[in-house]
Amino acid sequence: MNFKTFFPLFLLPASVFAAVNLNVSLGDSIKPVTHVATGSLYGLTETLPSNIEKDVAPLKPNVFLSPARSGSGRQQPIGGAFLVAPRVESIGAKIQIRLADVLPGWPYKFQNMDHWKNEVKSVINDKLKSNNKNFDGYEIWNEPNDTWKSSIDFNSGLWKQTYDLIRQMDPGAKIIGPSYSFYHGSKMEEFVKYCSQNNCMPDVVSWHQWGSGGFVGSVETYRNLEKKYNVKPRPLSINEYSSTEHSEEGCPGLSIPFIAKFERHGVESAMISWWFVPLPGRLGSLLTKDNERGGGWWLYKWYGDMSGYMAKVVPPNDKSDGVDGFAALDKKKGFASIVLGGNTKGDVNVNISGIPSAFGNKVNVTVEYVVWENKDKAVPSTNLVSDKEYDVSDGKITVPVNITNTKYGYRVYITPIIPQAPYKDVAAAIPGKIEVENYDVGGSGKAYSDKDDDNKGGEYRDDAVDIVKAGNGYAIGYTQEGEWLEYTVKVAKSGEYNLNASYATSSENVGFKLYVDGNAVTDNIIVPQGADWETYSTYEAGKVNLTEGEHVLKLEIVGNYVNLDWLEFVDPSQTTRIAGTPALQRMNASYDVFSATGKFLGRIDRGATATESLTASLKNAGYANGVYIIRTSGKTHRVTVR
């Protein structure tokens, strides 16, 4: 043997080792995006995190595991399910109720079945009476392999009797268990065998997972039990998970293989563990002890940003804690997101196939990473590695990523390079009418910004903008504050234009604001409150100064829930003023009067022979100086009383 045969591998430079491959098939959907792994054990309390919208909502949390009761005489002093559920219902998060936490102590101080059943009944009754509807289900017990110390048999005693009680009182509820502290092979087989023979199989099977490497093998073992005992396959809840080094709870690089495998192997919900007893309410160490964002928060923000469907990812070894990844494609919003990391350092070739043809033959690819030092180190942001164009060949590209630290997480973000352009390639003419649903092409972030993933109205265009039917045409609907749309327009000549808008709303203090080439050309335009979202009125919104030539007009939504059908820009030299003219004064009608914020104030009745102006009518009716909105016969006018 020569010297080279025995040359130690650890002395070779890193460049000698070949890059590993992570294969991503964007064309293969494995499931809709549901953010299965974004949850935590005791991650919420009555007061923490203090800002739900800022620190929790962006993560799109799925399910939190909370004690059924908290306080004196309970296992947990704070964070009871009925106290935290109201905090997160509006952001779509659910609460899994841990029944065992009605008891004190560790292991739990179980008294007897009568006491236990009375406690469970009180929890079920509170759940049935609750105004909150975001309860995921009941986890009957926690870690029975370690905490069940009674002489009563767990399966036939505690489990079966509690199962039957829940089915009797809350028959539609989800029952979750057995929640062993790890995948305990022999006990899980005893449990499945007993439950299959005694009609008490949980709706969701749960256990706790320490280290991601053994998870896939545990799933395979469990699925074999289902086949052996003729059990219909159950979804899984890994209702506590973490690295085997508990100080690394929430670490990005070590969390990624968990999330990837959970998405790949039928997990319905998963909750980050809680090893640091004095510090609940930290989303499983995604926030520091001072409730600042840590590195893990940014990883789960990447996860929360995913929408559309989860795509197929094949790692080098699914049964290891090495490099792995999870990916999502949203065709409507026009992006693909791939997150990777794991217990591997060095070069990774991210081989991406199935890039939609609609993305074109060039895409923009951003690579970034997030650092992690420890669970209490705040991290202000992610870090950019590269941002460049890639040529797409047969729907494929390869993006190299160098993992420099096993604790870091990495993201590859792909967007099409589609220039913003007028809808149907024709700029909207001004003067003229712009149908609001005919916003530019170019996709999310370029031609529009919409806060939800789907076209809720389901009409006209196949992207994330919500479009509804309006008479014989279409309008935008389900609008939310800050959403916007852009239009390429061609202004015939410079000057001042009258602006009219067709709208419908039953909301107060809603409307829109206009920008041209990024500069505001109106203040907030607030429209009067209407009867509903199907009855459209025309609102005279004042004047707008425009410059001749081609521009980008931006329409921004003010307030929540106003439907907009069209905008009209009228050259005043080609029309007759309406508000305050003798023609309007001669109308025989009743006028509804609204404040500038759209609040109904009253009504003025004016006869056919009335000669006074609307301004005088308002003064005579006792209205103070200010701006008012007057509506009659489907037309709306702005009148100023001085």
Side-chain angles (χ1 to χ4, degrees), residues 236-510:
L236 306 177
S237 180
I238 306 304
N239 47 16
E240 294 185 36
Y241 73 92
S242 176
S243 166
T244 52
E245 296 294 329
H246 303 313
S247 61
E248 295 171 341
E249 185 178 83
C251 169
L254 302 184
S255 298
I256 288 167
F258 278 111
I259 299 171
K261 296 175 202 313
F262 294 163
E263 289 285 353
R264 196 179 296 134
H265 292 286
V267 171
E268 178 184 88
S269 62
M271 296 75 157
I272 305 168
S273 60
W274 175 72
W275 280 97
F276 304 99
V277 174
L279 298 169
R282 302 170 65 219
L283 306 178
S285 294
L286 302 187
L287 302 176
T288 72
K289 65 179 182 297
D290 297 320
N291 269 257
E292 299 173 292
R293 295 172 176 179
W297 189 92
W298 294 100
L299 165 68
Y300 283 83
K301 172 64 164 60
W302 285 340
Y303 190 22
D305 287 340
M306 288 182 168
S307 55
Y309 65 73
M310 301 302 295
K312 182 179 180 181
V313 177
V314 179
N317 182 359
D318 197 19
K319 294 185 176 180
S320 81
D321 64 355
V323 68
D324 207 336
F326 53 97
L329 173 67
D330 193 322
K331 294 180 181 179
K332 291 182 178 180
K333 286 192 169 181
F335 75 85
S337 179
I338 302 155
V339 177
L340 66 148
N343 192 21
T344 304
K345 287 175 65 175
D347 293 328
V348 179
N349 286 328
V350 184
N351 303 312
I352 304 162
S353 62
I355 296 173
S357 58
F359 278 32
N361 57 14
K362 279 185 178 291
V363 292
N364 191 80
V365 179
T366 301
V367 179
E368 57 187 322
Y369 70 98
V370 61
V371 303
W372 190 89
E373 186 175 323
N374 61 63
K375 63 185 177 58
D376 289 319
K377 178 77 170 180
V379 176
S381 66
T382 61
N383 303 282
L384 181 67
V385 175
S386 61
D387 186 6
K388 59 184 181 180
E389 294 182 6
Y390 277 70
D391 293 321
V392 179
S393 177
D394 193 28
K396 300 176 182 178
I397 60 173
T398 294
V399 180
V401 175
N402 179 247
I403 296 178
T404 62
N405 190 312
T406 59
K407 307 296 176 62
Y408 294 177
Y410 294 78
R411 180 171 78 158
V412 176
Y413 193 79
I414 304 169
T415 52
I417 302 174
I418 301 175
Q420 184 172 345
Y423 186 64
K424 296 184 177 178
D425 296 321
V426 179
I430 295 178
K433 185 178 287 185
I434 299 174
E435 293 290 342
V436 176
E437 68 272 15
N438 289 340
Y439 50 89
D440 284 357
V441 299
S444 178
K446 290 183 181 178
Y448 68 82
S449 176
D450 196 283
K451 292 186 177 181
D452 52 62
D453 299 340
D454 299 314
N455 177 352
K456 288 183 178 177
E459 301 290 342
Y460 194 60
R461 294 176 70 168
D462 187 22
D463 56 30
V465 178
D466 306 310
I467 300 178
V468 298
K469 286 185 177 179
N472 295 323
Y474 302 97
I476 62 164
Y478 300 98
T479 55
Q480 297 183 59
E481 175 87 31
E483 293 182 338
W484 52 263
L485 304 140
E486 289 191 341
Y487 307 82
T488 301
V489 298
K490 190 169 185 179
V491 181
K493 64 178 182 179
S494 298
E496 192 174 58
Y497 290 82
N498 292 333
L499 173 64
N500 303 319
S502 177
Y503 77 96
T505 186
S506 188
S507 299
E508 292 185 17
N509 206 26
V510 298

Side-chain angles (χ1 to χ4, degrees), residues 36 84 166 186 201 229 278 318 344 360 377 403 489 534 583 633:
V36 300
V84 301
I166 295 171
S186 61
M201 192 70 193
Y229 294 105
D318 197 19
T344 304
K377 178 77 170 180
I403 296 178
V489 298
E534 288 78 41
S633 302

Side-chain angles (χ1 to χ4, degrees), residues 110 112-113 148-158 161:
F110 179 83
N112 54 63
M113 285 304 300
W148 182 249
K149 302 300 183 180
S150 172
S151 59
I152 300 171
D153 177 67
F154 176 79
N155 291 338
S156 61
L158 187 285
Q161 293 188 49

Side-chain angles (χ1 to χ4, degrees), residues 183-199:
Y183 187 86
H184 197 302
S186 61
K187 286 191 174 293
M188 185 66 85
E189 180 158 12
E190 280 180 32
F191 178 80
V192 173
K193 180 180 180 180
Y194 176 84
C195 292
S196 66
Q197 294 172 349
N198 292 276
N199 193 31

Side-chain angles (χ1 to χ4, degrees), residues 509-513 525-527 555-560 562 564:
N509 206 26
V510 298
F512 60 94
K513 185 174 182 178
I525 295 171
I526 304 301
V527 298
L555 165 66
E556 182 180 68
I557 299 300
V558 175
N560 293 320
V562 56
L564 293 172

Side-chain angles (χ1 to χ4, degrees), residues 84-125:
V84 301
R87 301 193 69 209
V88 294
E89 184 170 27
S90 65
I91 64 171
K94 301 184 290 293
I95 301 296
Q96 195 174 109
I97 301 171
R98 175 166 278 179
L99 291 175
D101 284 350
V102 298
L103 302 177
W106 187 258
Y108 298 106
K109 295 186 180 348
F110 179 83
Q111 296 182 28
N112 54 63
M113 285 304 300
D114 287 340
H115 173 265
W116 167 254
K117 285 183 178 180
N118 286 333
E119 291 281 9
V120 171
K121 286 177 183 177
S122 74
V123 172
I124 296 173
N125 282 326

